[in-house]
């Protein structure tokens, strides 16, 4: 894990976390003593249940749509975790005076397919740009820097394995590969990035037994066909699966993994 910025940068106060902390306090002011421990406990409890997906980052008037894999979550014990789109990051949250400061901010440093490195840098830089003002509207949150740059987020609910459209993020298929598991039909269907696919799917005890893949027979761009070949390796076998909120990981018998994000 590599440190994101200097200790001074790491202690910059982010209004993202400040706002998430302040909202429960504001709701409680009419009925509870603002100085009571119960108010603070309530704020932490609400934070531990909220996962915010990044929708878009706007800097210098330029809008960049975020990949489905970018998100942020703060737990009740002050642990911060998230994903910049490809690389995971973590920190400690210091709650004080209606603000929360990131401490010990660290991230992985992987090169990933399908997620431009400059997007991750833009998101990280914007979140760490001092105090951010925030406007909440239902399940939407907009964070704005003093220079007018913005990060827009949406509260995310956990996605079930069955019935969710899972868009493959690795291998990179330019967002064109996706799978949906149909419990009633006992099958999986979708796209391998180029060709449509369908197969039987039996889900049991953390594993999925996939039947032989029935596909169309089109030839596409070389990169898509390469991703398609890897995805086809999942079929006619039993794979392990793990769902982490809105991320699905499928691991083949030879240890190769495919990851996908829940699509709204």
């Amino acid at each position: 894990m590599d440190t994101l910025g200097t200790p001074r940068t790491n202690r910059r106060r982010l209004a993202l976390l400040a706002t998430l902390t302040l909202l429960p306090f504001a709701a409680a002011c009419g009925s509870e003593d603002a100085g009571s421990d119960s108010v603070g406990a309530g704020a932490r409890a609400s934070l531990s249940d909220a996962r915010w997906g990044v929708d878009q980052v706007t800097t210098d008037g330029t809008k960049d749509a975020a990949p489905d894999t970018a998100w942020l979550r703060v737990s009740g014990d002050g642990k911060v975790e998230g994903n910049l789109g490809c690389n995971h990051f973590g920190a400690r949250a210091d709650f004080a005076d209606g603000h929360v400061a990131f401490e010990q901010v660290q991230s992985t440093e992987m090169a990933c397919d399908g997620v431009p490195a400059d997007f991750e840098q833009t998101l990280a830089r914007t979140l760490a740009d001092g105090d951010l003002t925030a406007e909440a509207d239902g399940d939407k949150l907009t964070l704005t820097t003093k220079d007018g740059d913005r990060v827009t987020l949406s509260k995310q609910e956990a996605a079930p394995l069955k019935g969710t459209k899972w868009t493959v993020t690795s291998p990179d298929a330019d967002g064109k590969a996706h799978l949906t598991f149909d419990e009633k039909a006992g099958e999986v269907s979708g796209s391998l990035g180029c060709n449509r696919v369908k197969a039987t799917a039996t889900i049991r005890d953390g594993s999925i037994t996939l039947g032989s893949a029935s596909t169309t027979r089109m030839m596409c761009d070389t990169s898509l066909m390469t991703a398609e070949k890897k995805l086809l390796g999942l079929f006619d076998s039993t794979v392990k699966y793990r769902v982490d909120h809105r991320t699905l990981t499928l691991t083949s018998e030879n240890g190769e993994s495919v990851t996908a994000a829940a699509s709204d």
Side-chain angles (χ1 to χ4, degrees), residues 13 17-19 21-22 25 34 44 94-101 131:
R13 297 180 182 277
L17 305 182
T19 300
T21 306
L22 287 170
F25 273 88
R44 288 175 180 267
D94 179 19
F95 296 85
D97 300 326
H99 290 267
V100 178
D131 284 337

Side-chain angles (χ1 to χ4, degrees), residues 44-199:
R44 288 175 180 267
S46 64
L47 282 170
S48 66
D49 293 331
R51 168 166 159 155
W52 297 91
V54 179
D55 299 325
Q56 181 177 273
V57 180
T58 303
T59 57
D60 298 327
T62 300
K63 298 179 180 180
D64 291 309
D68 292 336
T69 46
W71 57 273
L72 173 69
R73 178 168 55 200
V74 184
S75 65
D77 63 359
K79 180 182 178 182
V80 182
E81 60 179 338
N83 193 296
L84 297 171
C86 167
N87 283 283
H88 293 277
F89 73 93
R92 295 296 305 173
D94 179 19
F95 296 85
D97 300 326
H99 290 267
V100 178
F102 273 153
E103 296 181 337
Q104 303 171 6
V105 184
Q106 295 181 316
S107 79
T108 56
E109 198 173 67
M110 300 182 296
C112 303
D113 294 332
V115 180
D118 56 355
F119 173 84
E120 294 199 316
Q121 294 166 4
T122 298
L123 175 57
R125 184 170 58 249
T126 305
L127 289 176
D129 192 13
D131 284 337
L132 307 178
T133 59
E135 291 181 286
D137 182 10
D139 287 343
K140 296 290 184 178
L141 185 65
T142 302
L143 312 171
T144 308
T145 72
K146 62 182 181 299
D147 295 324
D149 294 337
R150 299 189 304 277
V151 179
T152 57
L153 307 96
S154 298
K155 186 177 290 186
Q156 294 181 331
E157 301 297 334
L161 170 67
K162 304 165 187 173
T164 298
K165 179 181 177 181
W166 295 101
T167 299
V168 176
T169 55
S170 179
D172 179 24
D174 197 25
K176 297 178 180 179
H178 57 85
L179 298 171
T180 301
F181 295 91
D182 187 330
E183 180 179 20
K184 185 175 181 179
E187 65 181 23
V188 61
S189 61
S191 171
L192 299 172
C194 175
N195 287 284
R196 302 287 301 177
V197 65
K198 181 180 289 188

